[in-house]
Amino acid sequence: MSTPRGPDSRPVITVLCAAPTDRPPGLADVDADVRYCTADELADGIRGARALLLWDFFSPALREAWPHADSVEWIHIAAAGVDTLLFDELRDSAVTVTNAHGVFDRPIAEYVLGAILGYAKDSRVSLEAQLRRHWWHRETRSIAGARAMIVGTGGIGREIARLLRAAGMTVRGAGRVARAEDPDFGEVVASSELAAEVGWCDHLVLAAPLTAATRGMVDATVLNAMKPDAHLVNIARGDLVDEPALVTALRENRIGAATLDVFSTEPLPADHPLWDTPNTVITAHMAGDVIGWRDTLAAQFLDNLRRWQAGEPLRNVVDKKLGYVPGASSGGGR
């Protein structure tokens, strides 16, 4: 663990990294005492620190190291979702939490559009036919006029809605509160009534945060209520979906297909049945990871660091009770 020392007036900032070489760019010249540590070093590295950057944003190490966080005022997580970060002691504390709202919105929206186009144009089947050198002419679907329901009406969900509408699709949202005349979704239905609403859509897109209310929300009841040719896209968190129920629904042709970027266990175990489930596309939690995304994350943190040191309001402050940034990011995503 690297623990450079500076004058007492310089704040200590601890940066949690996945590996000693995995450091955010641009921190060399900040006016602070920056400590880099890995998960097993965090308990020592966080002592005396006033700020913590979770560059290793999926690590649960902070919970165990929390008793040693004797001076922490601000935590920034380099991710939009904060479900891996929050625990009762942190929620109840006075520590401010900020996240990476906005960084992944457009890349994830492009991933969703690509997934929908891939399903509509039968790209997976075409690739399989190509590998068999089988010339198979057939008709595919248009996405113009197709219906997409986006569960999660925060920043990521809204960017998805805007892009899908620009592509000619009809969009509807699903959120905590039903409402009409939303500028991006048109109509928003209550996500608690998802089973009664999913029969409307051709594509069900999950972009909600993982909370007690959303865990397992796409269960056998919801899957059975979907159209038999409907397509599920999950870019939020794996635990929003009952994975065994999804495997059954796909194998029994109760729904048409699934494109999955997130899973209950990551990396997805080699023996997991989803690998061999028909009509399933699997990607390695990469929907928001376009070239340059680490530089963007670091620049976002540096902007907030400047604000913090100047005593200015921070951007993307998370409501720790809700688990997202109110009015800005109730989405899941990276």
Side-chain angles (χ1 to χ4, degrees):
M1 177 177 63
S2 176
T3 57
R5 298 296 178 184
D8 292 341
S9 60
R10 286 159 56 92
V12 174
I13 301 171
T14 297
V15 182
L16 177 63
C17 304
T21 56
D22 180 31
R23 297 185 175 186
L27 270 62
D29 298 324
V30 300
D31 186 20
D33 178 0
V34 180
R35 301 176 181 173
Y36 297 96
C37 64
T38 56
D40 59 349
E41 300 167 331
L42 185 58
D44 289 332
I46 203 172
R47 286 191 178 96
R50 291 179 55 201
L52 171 65
L53 168 58
L54 294 176
W55 191 245
D56 183 8
F57 41 79
F58 285 140
S59 173
L62 181 58
R63 184 190 297 262
E64 184 174 345
W66 186 249
H68 305 280
D70 51 4
S71 304
V72 172
E73 304 168 11
W74 166 45
I75 297 172
H76 180 83
I77 182 169
V82 295
D83 49 282
T84 58
L85 165 63
L86 295 177
F87 49 92
D88 290 343
E89 292 83 358
L90 176 55
R91 288 189 181 94
D92 294 338
S93 75
V95 174
T96 299
V97 174
T98 58
N99 73 351
H101 166 65
V103 171
F104 302 106
D105 295 6
R106 178 69 187 200
I108 288 177
E110 291 176 357
Y111 175 97
V112 171
L113 176 59
I116 289 173
L117 283 167
Y119 177 56
K121 302 308 175 186
D122 226 8
S123 297
R124 181 187 54 78
V125 176
S126 293
L127 177 59
E128 291 174 354
Q130 177 184 342
L131 293 174
R132 299 195 310 271
R133 303 192 179 200
H134 174 51
W135 182 269
W136 185 13
H137 178 270
R138 62 203 186 281
E139 296 178 346
T140 61
R141 307 169 191 240
S142 172
I143 67 169
R147 297 173 172 180
M149 178 172 289
I150 302 165
V151 183
T153 57
I156 292 173
R158 289 186 180 279
E159 188 66 19
I160 293 169
R162 288 190 286 265
L163 189 57
L164 297 188
R165 289 176 69 180
M169 297 183 66
T170 300
V171 171
R172 185 176 288 178
R176 288 184 302 122
V177 180
R179 57 188 180 276
E181 300 181 0
D182 184 276
D184 296 313
F185 298 100
E187 180 183 358
V188 176
V189 302
S191 53
S192 59
E193 301 296 326
L194 197 58
E197 302 289 350
V198 291
W200 172 85
C201 65
D202 303 298
H203 304 271
L204 179 63
V205 181
L206 305 184
L210 179 61
T211 66
T214 62
R215 185 180 297 274
M217 67 188 309
V218 178
D219 56 12
T221 301
V222 170
L223 292 165
N224 289 338
M226 293 172 67
K227 293 181 178 180
D229 60 351
H231 173 215
L232 173 69
V233 182
N234 189 5
I235 52 80
R237 289 291 183 263
D239 283 332
L240 267 62
V241 177
D242 180 337
E243 288 180 347
L246 176 61
V247 170
T248 298
L250 288 163
R251 286 179 173 172
E252 297 181 357
N253 296 315
R254 297 181 192 172
I255 66 171
T259 301
L260 307 172
D261 188 53
V262 290
F263 306 89
S264 294
T265 301
E266 296 182 2
L268 188 66
D271 60 351
H272 198 287
L274 277 170
W275 286 111
D276 300 316
T277 300
N279 302 319
T280 303
V281 174
I282 289 172
T283 55
H285 204 144
M286 53 188 281
D289 296 352
V290 296
I291 294 171
W293 66 283
R294 290 179 175 84
D295 293 329
T296 304
L297 284 174
Q300 184 186 56
F301 170 72
L302 288 170
D303 175 68
N304 250 355
L305 176 60
R306 179 194 63 77
R307 291 172 172 274
W308 179 67
Q309 291 184 302
E312 299 174 359
L314 298 178
R315 300 185 190 274
N316 301 339
V317 175
V318 173
D319 184 319
K320 294 181 292 183
K321 302 299 183 184
L322 296 176
Y324 53 83
V325 180
S329 178
S330 60
R334 192 46 146 138

